[in-house]
Each structure stands twice: as C-alpha cells, then as structure tokens.
Amino acid sequence: MTFAQDVFISFTHIDNQSLNPDEDGWISSFHKALEIRLSQLRGKESRIWRDRRLWGNEDLDEAIFDALTQSALLVSVLSPRYLQSEWCMRELQRFCQAADQGGGLRVGEAKARLFKVIKTYLPIEQHPAVVANFLGYEFYEIDDAGRPQEFDRVYGPEQERKFYAKLNDLAYDIHQTLEILDAQVGQPPLTEPQFGAVAADRKVIYLADTTPDLQVDRERIRRELEQAGHQVLPEQPLPSEPGAFKQTVCEALTRAHLSVHLLSPYPSQPPAGQSPTQEQLYRQLVTARTRDQVALAAQCGQGRSDFSRLLWLPPDTGAVAPDDFVTELQSDPDFIRTNLEALKDIIHTRLTQPATPALELSTDGRVQIYLDCDERDLENPAIDPLFEWLDQHFQVILPDYEQGTLSRSEALLQQCEAVLIYYGEASALWLKRRLNALKKTLYGRPKPLLAKAVYVADPAKQKFSDPEVLMIPGYQGFQPTLLEEFVASLGPAGGQA
C-alpha cells in the first residue's frame, strides 16, 4: 500500500501555545524539526501532516479523515489535555481502523505504525488503551524535586538540547519503520544502513527500565545497539501487576545474551517530614522495579554460559551518596562505575568477544574441588594436610601457575563443582579478587556450584568474614572436622568422605 503522507501528527492545540509569545509553539517546533531530520535520514523530502488551524472543530472533517487514512504512520502527542479531547481519541480510533484494513499496526518483527510521544508526564495507566503497550518517547524528565520538566527551549539550553536528542531518536525509529514499509510495497530502501551487524552476530540485550534521571542515557544506548543490528528488550512497557511483571522480565532475560542495568544514586524517598508528590511516588515505583530487574537478572542468569550482566552507576553524582542497595552492589563483580562512553565500549566488548572455551577436565567420577591458592602456598608444606585429606575423597584441582592465565583461572572456578580458597600467604587484595572472580563465574556454570568456602590458614587473618561464603578457621592446624559443613554442602557425594 502506498501513502500520501509519511506521518500524521495527532495533538491538541493547547499544547502548541508557547509560554514565550515571541517563539513558535512546542508542536510547531516539533513538527519542523522532525520534518527536517527525517528528510535528512530519508534522503528525500519527508511528508508530515498536521492540522494547522488555530483550534480544531469537534467533528473530523473530510480533509483530516483523508490525511489520517493516507498516512503511513501516526505520531500521537500525549498530554493531560490530549486525554480529555474527544477529537484526539477519535483520530486514534480512525487511524487504527484504517491500519487494520491495510495490514495492521505492526510492521516487521518489532516495529509499529503508531508512535507515542509523551510531551507532559502522564502515569502509564492513564495512557489510551490503544497505545498503552507501545514504548513511548518521553520529552520530559523528573527533576530532583520530583517535578516533571518538559524538553523545551523556554527552560534553557540544556532542555533544548535534550529535546533535539530525543527527537533524533524518534526520527531514526520513524525512518527505519518507513524503510520497512517501502520494502513491503516493492520499493528498495533509499539509504544503506549506517551501522550493521550480520545476522550471525545479532545479539539480544535486555536493557532494563531505569529511573527518569537516566532515561536519556538509556535511550542513547538503545539507539546505538539497534543501529548495530542488535535486538533490545523489552520492546513494550513492562506490566504494572507484580506477577505479570516478573513473568515478562524473566521471559525477556531468557532470550537475552546480556542484561544492562543503569543505577541511579539519587534517593527515591522525599525529604524527611514531607509527603511524597505524585511524581515522587512514581519514582519510588520505578526505583523498586529497577532493583527487581537486577535481582531477576541474577536469578535467570545462573547456570547459563551464554549470559552476562552489567550494573552501571554514573561516576559524577556530586554530593549525593548512593543508598544502601547501590552501595551493596558495588562489591558485585559485574558492577562498574565509569562514564557513559566507557560503558558503551564495555557493552560492545561483551557482545563481540568470543566466549572462553570450556576446559576439558578429566574426571575420575568423584566431585571436583578447585583448591584455589596463591603460588607461594603451593610450595608451603602447611597446605599439605588439607590437600592430602581432600585428595583421598575428592578429585582436587590445583591452579596451574606455569601456564596460568586469568581466563584459565576463571574457567577452573567455573568448571569445578566446589571451590575452596586457601587464604595463607596471599594478601587481602588477592582474596578479594578471587572472591569477585568466583562471583563472576556464577552466571555461566555448566553445572551448579555445590559449595564454596575460604580456608583461613594464617592466624593474622582470622578476622576475615563474608556473609556470602563459609569461613573455615584452619589457623590452628588442619583437622578433618573443620570441613564438615563444607563437605555436607556437597550432598550425597560429600557424605562418602
């Protein structure tokens, strides 16, 4: 099907009234900028239609009806007034009816002919039903006081910059959708993809929902991943009902090769003694859902060698101190705190580097225990009683410092069914690195990790403690009874010891 217009903009005229009488209204500026940017991307003049009358009538006249039905795409600019406008609701309905008769709203695998632009903050439950399940383009942000601030030049140069950045995202998505529609009617795309990954290199990334202050960064990452040919999930807004939310997130994570979580250091709670505003309540909800996605990624990733995750905190947060949740995550091996460009480089590396080949460890049928230790401890007779007892009951794997590399060490941590870290000659920094490496391998194991512990052999280090790992006090000499809890964790195989 061919179309007379590329885009129809559905809006309410009150949203085109400028706060500055000497400047164009928001809708007029939006229309002009979108038309220019889309023409640049398409390589030809784009055709965007909107009702330019100062005020709309209560009935759809023939010109508007024709423009609706002859438009390839609809951009619906949501605002509080839009929801109250019977005119706008009827435009939505008419376009959807025409789309159903012409092949439907969906285009290709993950595109749609309807684009939702959110000019002014609206809770998701207030969005019209026909667009509720579409990802929106939010032309606003929530400030530190919990108030929404629109991307408009009247609020300063930074808000104007964000307006054009968001509009660029929208223009790219519209361009890609029009390219698909062109191909469907036998017209070859006019432009070659600027970025592209061959089909075999296409990956699925779960880019977790995040708080309003990081939405711009999230959109930049999403845009670059999609331009590189990858698929970014979720493709629709996540459900609000907890059960459906968890199911949707887990299904998406199951498909993903990588999950990326952008963490905000800003508190979600209002200042002490103040009642939360509606926007602050929204931020609290989003923050809780952000944290739920971190936990679900950890759960869904265990036991998968083809999955990893990244937890990112912006480096410059001024005087804001991260809350307890973010502080606790800083010990996670997947946690990084760097600038956005460095994060994008890390994502690229994760998606393109070949997986570390699994080691082919010969097995004698017994449980394999990796006895991880510093090279100096291998030469120290103090470790011998522990090694000899373990070797009588289990297959003990030792680090190979002659051919050892970081990847080989991590592979040993990943392949063995239990890990016992011998803490003797090594420093506290060495132990921290080994524990972090162990945590990292929890997401790609070919078989479950049955037991993990730190055997403290040096009396000077007996104060070591970690709530996530068993501490075995071996600094007064080895006794088999010291290993009872560790061995019990091995299940039936450990019961033979």
Side-chain angles (χ1 to χ4, degrees):
M1 180 178 180
T2 57
F3 300 97
Q5 280 80 229
D6 295 322
V7 178
F8 181 103
I9 299 177
S10 174
F11 70 102
T12 181
H13 289 269
I14 197 172
D15 289 323
N16 199 31
Q17 296 184 49
S18 176
L19 296 178
N20 185 342
D22 296 328
E23 294 182 349
D24 289 338
W26 194 93
I27 298 294
S28 296
S29 299
F30 172 83
H31 182 167
K32 181 178 179 180
L34 180 61
E35 198 163 51
I36 293 172
R37 187 62 182 133
L38 187 57
S39 297
Q40 292 170 342
L41 295 173
R42 297 273 287 161
K44 64 178 182 179
E45 184 177 356
S46 58
R47 301 159 299 174
I48 299 180
W49 196 97
R50 69 177 168 92
D51 183 5
R52 296 177 182 270
R53 293 173 296 183
L54 292 179
W55 297 99
N57 297 323
E58 287 303 317
D59 294 316
L60 282 173
D61 60 27
E62 196 65 26
I64 295 179
F65 178 74
D66 288 344
L68 265 174
T69 57
Q70 296 178 27
S71 295
L73 309 175
L74 175 70
V75 171
S76 179
V77 183
L78 300 190
S79 68
R81 175 59 183 165
Y82 192 95
L83 301 182
Q84 301 172 25
S85 170
E86 181 182 354
W87 174 287
C88 294
M89 295 299 103
R90 290 167 66 185
E91 285 181 346
L92 269 177
Q93 183 181 16
R94 288 289 183 90
F95 180 82
C96 291
Q97 289 174 348
D100 287 340
Q101 296 171 5
L105 282 175
R106 290 292 174 183
V107 178
E109 293 182 3
K111 301 294 183 182
R113 292 177 56 192
L114 198 158
F115 289 80
K116 179 173 65 175
V117 167
I118 309 160
K119 175 181 178 291
T120 307
Y121 167 75
L122 290 170
I124 185 67
E125 59 269 17
Q126 294 183 18
H127 292 196
V130 69
V131 298
N133 290 328
F134 289 85
L135 289 176
Y137 299 80
E138 296 175 347
F139 278 77
Y140 68 89
E141 63 184 357
I142 306 297
D143 64 19
D144 294 342
R147 295 186 295 263
Q149 188 173 81
E150 295 177 8
F151 297 161
D152 192 323
R153 66 167 62 93
V154 299
Y155 298 116
E158 180 61 17
Q159 297 307 101
E160 183 179 16
R161 184 193 66 79
K162 292 177 180 178
F163 169 87
Y164 286 112
K166 182 66 69 172
L167 182 131
N168 188 56
D169 287 342
L170 174 64
Y172 263 110
D173 284 346
I174 289 176
H175 163 59
Q176 290 178 343
T177 306
L178 290 172
E179 292 279 271
I180 296 173
L181 287 173
D182 285 347
Q184 288 180 348
V185 296
Q187 300 179 12
L190 295 176
T191 57
E192 293 295 326
Q194 293 180 323
F195 303 87
V198 296
D201 293 335
R202 187 173 189 246
K203 298 294 179 64
V204 179
I205 299 92
Y206 184 86
L207 185 57
D209 277 359
T210 188
T211 47
D213 55 296
L214 295 176
Q215 282 295 341
V216 173
D217 292 335
R218 183 183 184 277
E219 286 303 307
R220 289 176 182 171
I221 295 171
R222 181 184 70 85
R223 167 61 49 211
E224 294 193 17
L225 287 171
E226 290 182 342
Q227 288 175 350
H230 302 300
Q231 183 179 10
V232 180
L233 303 177
E235 294 174 334
Q236 296 181 349
L238 294 172
S240 56
E241 195 277 320
F245 169 83
K246 181 177 180 180
Q247 179 180 353
T248 302
V249 172
C250 289
E251 289 176 352
L253 286 167
T254 300
R255 298 171 54 194
H257 301 91
L258 172 69
S259 70
V260 180
H261 306 261
L262 310 186
L263 307 173
S264 173
Y266 296 104
S268 59
Q269 301 295 329
Q274 294 185 14
S275 299
T277 64
Q278 184 179 24
E279 289 75 27
Q280 286 172 330
L281 289 172
Y282 169 73
R283 183 183 179 87
Q284 291 175 22
L285 172 64
V286 173
T287 300
R289 287 158 64 94
T290 298
R291 297 175 179 185
D292 288 342
Q293 290 170 91
V294 170
L296 289 172
Q299 296 173 15
C300 297
Q302 290 199 25
R304 288 182 55 193
S305 60
D306 63 341
F307 177 83
S308 63
R309 64 175 187 159
L310 289 171
L311 312 174
W312 179 74
L313 183 70
D316 184 14
T317 57
V320 178
D323 62 15
D324 292 343
F325 175 80
V326 175
T327 300
E328 183 178 340
L329 285 179
Q330 293 186 29
S331 62
D332 193 294
D334 294 320
F335 179 88
I336 54 175
R337 189 169 193 176
T338 184
N339 60 52
L340 183 64
E341 293 305 313
L343 170 64
K344 291 190 287 188
D345 289 341
I346 294 171
I347 292 173
H348 174 74
T349 300
R350 287 282 184 99
L351 295 175
T352 56
Q353 67 182 4
T356 303
L359 291 178
E360 294 293 335
L361 294 177
S362 60
T363 177
D364 59 10
R366 297 182 296 171
V367 171
Q368 293 176 325
I369 296 179
Y370 182 41
L371 182 56
D372 194 6
C373 61
D374 185 78
E375 185 173 7
R376 291 168 293 177
D377 287 312
L378 282 178
E379 301 172 357
N380 190 333
I383 199 175
D384 291 346
L386 172 64
F387 170 79
E388 291 170 0
W389 188 90
L390 289 172
D391 194 47
Q392 291 177 17
H393 306 283
F394 308 99
Q395 183 179 354
V396 182
I397 310 297
L398 293 172
D400 184 354
Y401 282 101
E402 292 184 1
Q403 303 181 21
T405 62
L406 179 61
S407 61
R408 177 177 174 82
S409 175
E410 291 187 358
L412 289 171
L413 286 169
Q414 193 172 60
Q415 291 293 313
C416 292
E417 296 157 283
V419 174
L420 183 59
I421 300 176
Y422 186 88
Y423 188 26
E425 297 284 345
S427 66
L429 179 59
W430 176 90
L431 177 62
K432 182 178 180 180
R433 289 174 175 170
R434 301 313 299 145
L435 289 172
N436 282 341
L438 175 59
K439 291 178 182 178
K440 183 177 179 181
T441 64
L442 294 177
Y443 301 106
R445 304 189 63 82
K447 45 193 172 183
L449 181 66
L450 300 178
K452 57 182 178 179
V454 173
Y455 185 96
V456 181
D458 185 349
K461 299 167 182 174
Q462 59 183 290
K463 292 184 178 180
F464 163 79
S465 66
D466 187 322
E468 297 184 7
V469 66
L470 173 67
M471 192 277 276
I472 299 175
Y475 40 80
Q476 292 182 344
F478 173 73
Q479 295 292 333
T481 54
L482 294 173
L483 300 180
E484 286 181 351
E485 185 174 352
F486 177 78
V487 171
S489 300
L490 301 177
Q496 301 173 10

